[in-house]
Coordinates of all heavy atoms in Angstrom, one line a residue:
L438 N 129.3 130.4 99.3 CA 128.9 129.3 98.4 C 128.1 128.2 99.1 O 127.4 127.4 98.5 CB 130.2 128.7 97.8 CG 131.0 129.6 96.8 CD1 132.3 129.1 96.4 CD2 130.1 129.9 95.6
A439 N 128.3 128.2 100.4 CA 127.5 127.2 101.2 C 126.1 127.7 101.5 O 125.2 127.0 101.7 CB 128.2 126.8 102.5
F440 N 126.0 129.0 101.6 CA 124.8 129.7 102.0 C 123.7 129.7 100.9 O 122.5 129.4 101.2 CB 125.1 131.1 102.4 CG 123.9 131.9 102.9 CD1 123.5 131.8 104.2 CD2 123.3 132.9 102.1 CE1 122.4 132.5 104.7 CE2 122.3 133.7 102.6 CZ 121.8 133.5 103.8
L441 N 124.1 130.0 99.7 CA 123.1 130.2 98.6 C 122.3 128.9 98.3 O 121.1 129.0 98.1 CB 123.8 130.6 97.3 CG 124.2 132.1 97.3 CD1 124.8 132.5 95.9 CD2 123.0 133.0 97.5
P442 N 122.9 127.7 98.2 CA 122.1 126.5 97.9 C 121.0 126.3 98.9 O 120.1 125.6 98.5 CB 123.2 125.4 98.0 CG 124.5 126.1 97.6 CD 124.4 127.4 98.3
K443 N 121.1 126.8 100.0 CA 120.0 126.6 101.0 C 118.7 127.3 100.6 O 117.6 127.0 101.1 CB 120.4 127.2 102.4 CG 121.6 126.6 103.0 CD 121.4 125.2 103.5 CE 122.5 124.6 104.3 NZ 122.3 123.3 104.8
F444 N 118.8 128.2 99.6 CA 117.6 129.0 99.2 C 117.2 128.5 97.7 O 116.2 129.1 97.2 CB 118.0 130.5 99.1 CG 118.2 131.1 100.5 CD1 119.4 131.0 101.1 CD2 117.2 131.6 101.2 CE1 119.7 131.4 102.4 CE2 117.4 132.1 102.5 CZ 118.6 132.0 103.1
L445 N 117.9 127.6 97.2 CA 117.5 127.1 95.8 C 116.3 126.2 95.9 O 116.2 125.3 96.7 CB 118.6 126.3 95.2 CG 118.4 125.9 93.8 CD1 118.3 127.1 92.8 CD2 119.6 125.0 93.3
Q446 N 115.2 126.5 95.2 CA 114.0 125.8 95.2 C 113.7 125.3 93.7 O 114.3 125.8 92.8 CB 112.9 126.6 95.7 CG 113.0 126.9 97.2 CD 111.8 127.8 97.7 OE1 111.5 128.8 97.1 NE2 111.1 127.3 98.7
Y447 N 112.7 124.4 93.6 CA 112.3 123.9 92.3 C 110.8 124.0 92.2 O 110.1 123.6 93.2 CB 112.8 122.5 92.1 CG 114.3 122.4 91.9 CD1 115.1 122.2 93.0 CD2 114.9 122.5 90.6 CE1 116.5 122.1 92.8 CE2 116.2 122.5 90.5 CZ 117.0 122.3 91.5 OH 118.4 122.2 91.4
S448 N 110.3 124.4 91.1 CA 108.9 124.4 90.8 C 108.7 123.5 89.6 O 109.6 123.4 88.8 CB 108.3 125.8 90.5 OG 109.0 126.4 89.4
F449 N 107.6 122.9 89.5 CA 107.3 121.9 88.4 C 106.6 122.6 87.2 O 105.5 123.2 87.4 CB 106.5 120.7 88.8 CG 106.5 119.6 87.8 CD1 107.5 118.8 87.6 CD2 105.3 119.4 87.1 CE1 107.5 117.8 86.6 CE2 105.2 118.3 86.2 CZ 106.4 117.5 85.9
L450 N 107.3 122.7 86.1 CA 106.7 123.3 84.9 C 106.1 122.3 84.0 O 106.8 121.4 83.5 CB 107.9 124.1 84.2 CG 107.5 124.8 82.8 CD1 106.4 125.9 83.1 CD2 108.7 125.3 82.1
V451 N 104.9 122.5 83.7 CA 104.1 121.6 82.7 C 104.2 122.1 81.3 O 103.9 123.3 81.1 CB 102.7 121.3 83.2 CG1 102.0 120.4 82.2 CG2 102.6 120.7 84.5
I452 N 104.6 121.3 80.4 CA 104.7 121.7 79.0 C 103.6 120.9 78.2 O 103.7 119.7 78.1 CB 106.0 121.4 78.4 CG1 107.1 122.2 79.2 CG2 106.1 121.8 76.9 CD1 108.5 121.8 78.8
G453 N 102.6 121.6 77.7 CA 101.5 120.9 77.1 C 100.7 120.1 78.1 O 100.4 120.6 79.2
E454 N 100.3 118.9 77.8 CA 99.5 118.1 78.6 C 100.3 117.0 79.4 O 99.8 116.5 80.4 CB 98.3 117.4 77.8 CG 97.4 118.5 77.2 CD 96.3 117.8 76.5 OE1 96.3 116.6 76.4 OE2 95.4 118.5 76.0
R455 N 101.4 116.6 78.9 CA 102.1 115.4 79.5 C 103.5 115.8 80.0 O 103.8 115.4 81.2 CB 102.2 114.4 78.4 CG 100.9 113.9 77.9 CD 101.0 112.7 77.0 NE 99.8 112.2 76.5 CZ 99.6 111.3 75.6 NH1 100.7 110.6 75.1 NH2 98.4 110.9 75.2
A456 N 104.3 116.4 79.3 CA 105.7 116.6 79.7 C 105.9 117.7 80.7 O 105.0 118.5 80.9 CB 106.6 116.8 78.5
G457 N 107.0 117.7 81.3 CA 107.3 118.7 82.3 C 108.7 118.6 82.8 O 109.4 117.6 82.6
H458 N 109.2 119.7 83.5 CA 110.5 119.6 84.1 C 110.5 120.5 85.3 O 109.7 121.3 85.5 CB 111.5 120.0 83.1 CG 111.5 121.4 82.7 ND1 110.8 121.8 81.6 CD2 112.1 122.5 83.2 CE1 111.0 123.1 81.4 NE2 111.7 123.6 82.4
D459 N 111.6 120.2 86.1 CA 111.8 121.0 87.3 C 112.5 122.3 87.0 O 113.5 122.3 86.3 CB 112.6 120.3 88.3 CG 111.9 119.1 88.9 OD1 110.7 119.1 88.8 OD2 112.5 118.2 89.5
R460 N 111.9 123.4 87.3 CA 112.5 124.7 87.1 C 113.1 125.3 88.4 O 112.5 125.4 89.4 CB 111.4 125.8 86.6 CG 112.0 127.2 86.5 CD 110.9 128.2 86.1 NE 110.6 128.1 84.7 CZ 109.5 128.6 84.2 NH1 108.6 129.3 84.9 NH2 109.3 128.5 82.8

Side-chain angles (χ1 to χ4, degrees):
L438 294 173
F440 182 78
L441 281 185
K443 300 290 186 177
F444 294 84
L445 185 65
Q446 295 179 303
Y447 290 90
S448 60
F449 191 71
L450 174 66
V451 177
I452 302 175
E454 296 182 355
R455 298 184 181 179
H458 67 267
D459 291 340
R460 170 185 285 168

